[in-house]
Amino acid sequence: MKRQHLLATIALALATPVLAQEPQTPAQQSAQQREHVVKTGDTLWDLAQFYYHNPWQWGRIYEANTSVVENPHWIYPAERLVIPALADTAGAPAPAEATQVAMVQPQRHTRFYTAQPAAPRQAQGPTVLTEEVKVEPNVRPGDFYAAPWLEHPNSLKVVGKLVRVRQTSEVARRMHEAAYPFDIVYLGYTSAERPIKGERLVLVNIGRGMGGYGNVIQPAAVVDVLSTERDVMAAQVIQQFATVPTGALAVPYEEFPTPSVPKPTPVSNGATGKIVGFSREDAMHGLEATAFISLGSADGVKIGDELEAFAPERSAGPVGARHVLPEEKVADLRIVRVMERSATARVFHVAYPALESGLPVRIVRKMP
């Protein structure tokens, strides 16, 4: 609450409101500060790409929000970030190619914007005007890449292990040994099958065990291999989700399976399972919590499927005066990553605060 109040004071003193009263030209937009409400999966890298058409400008956003962003490794849903105008920070104009993009894509469009082509003109017929369509899938790439999953560590295809961080930025030096986007890391080889220059890898941390389902595998960063030497390979961090410690394991990068349609459709008699556990051992789980469920690809689960967690019928009251309580929905979850016997789900709606391990779930909306 304190951080939001401080950000509101900054915004009132410096910023132009996000929703302008009149439409603005791209030139007017680039000369004004804006505000961004953080959503799940957002990173400073992505925000710089979206607002400045240049991800390397992430530092401008970080420096403008140090009162809100305590550690640039993480930004959290619902945080309100000031997006400074390029002219207000370093005085450098936006790249020419970014200006061209801004002129053809109005600011109101999101990164998932697509335009529906206009219907061809018919001979001697009226001109047909079509509306622009915004297609926004219910699972974004950021949700997928940042999502932990359950797997036995000895089943991971490990191709390297982090042995050193070559810190190249002042921010990284202030953060001691923590790797940071655009820093260079050195990875020792762990198998005869060596990555090649240009290959993309994911650095992961091994978390606590979840019984027969394996351990929590937490993605920490995405890196691109820059060179391969005799003993180590050099790679650059291009996206980060968590702390990248020495010893983090490098595994192959998996492409985000873009859904053919943006939304799932309701189903009846969907597969049922249970919540195996949560990525964090919080006292109370709510919105944005990450849960692991006992359903996977073997059960037909797909990324984008939606589930209900529910409290089944149960009896309550003293002996001799028991009453049956009806089934009640506890929360809605959305699948963001799928393994063979388990899946990772993000909580996007809570009916009442009773989420816990062991609670039954069922699929209520499915992707085709």
Side-chain angles (χ1 to χ4, degrees), residues 218-241:
Q218 175 63 61
V222 176
V223 301
D224 281 344
V225 177
L226 302 179
S227 65
T228 54
E229 309 301 335
R230 185 185 64 181
D231 294 325
V232 297
M233 52 183 147
Q236 185 171 39
V237 177
I238 62 170
Q239 194 171 19
Q240 187 161 5
F241 313 111

Side-chain angles (χ1 to χ4, degrees), residues 30-82:
S30 65
Q32 292 183 342
Q33 283 191 153
R34 281 158 285 176
E35 183 182 71
H36 178 87
V37 179
V38 177
K39 298 179 177 61
T40 302
D42 281 349
T43 66
L44 295 183
W45 166 271
D46 291 333
L47 298 187
Q49 171 63 33
F50 179 64
Y51 287 105
Y52 301 144
H53 309 287
N54 182 355
W56 294 90
Q57 299 286 354
W58 64 268
R60 299 178 184 273
I61 302 175
Y62 170 58
E63 293 299 333
N65 293 279
T66 53
S67 61
V68 178
V69 182
E70 297 176 358
N71 186 328
H73 284 180
W74 301 288
I75 55 178
Y76 298 96
E79 286 184 331
R80 309 182 81 86
L81 303 184
V82 172

Side-chain angles (χ1 to χ4, degrees), residues 249-286:
L249 305 179
V251 299
Y253 178 85
E254 182 181 350
E255 291 289 346
F256 174 63
T258 305
S260 57
V261 294
K263 303 294 182 184
T265 56
V267 296
S268 57
N269 301 318
T272 60
K274 67 177 182 179
I275 294 177
V276 175
F278 295 84
S279 61
R280 295 177 52 174
E281 297 179 293
D282 295 337
M284 182 176 293
H285 302 284

Side-chain angles (χ1 to χ4, degrees), residues 172-254:
R173 282 191 288 274
R174 292 202 304 265
M175 297 171 68
H176 306 292
E177 292 299 320
Y180 193 72
F182 321 122
D183 276 345
I184 307 299
V185 297
Y186 296 104
L187 307 172
Y189 302 109
T190 58
S191 70
E193 185 178 344
R194 297 188 172 188
I196 61 174
K197 180 180 178 180
E199 188 169 344
R200 184 160 289 184
L201 304 172
V202 179
L203 301 183
V204 302
N205 300 320
I206 307 299
R208 69 187 190 282
M210 290 280 185
Y213 294 96
N215 289 66
V216 177
I217 309 299
Q218 175 63 61
V222 176
V223 301
D224 281 344
V225 177
L226 302 179
S227 65
T228 54
E229 309 301 335
R230 185 185 64 181
D231 294 325
V232 297
M233 52 183 147
Q236 185 171 39
V237 177
I238 62 170
Q239 194 171 19
Q240 187 161 5
F241 313 111
T243 300
V244 184
T246 300
L249 305 179
V251 299
Y253 178 85
E254 182 181 350

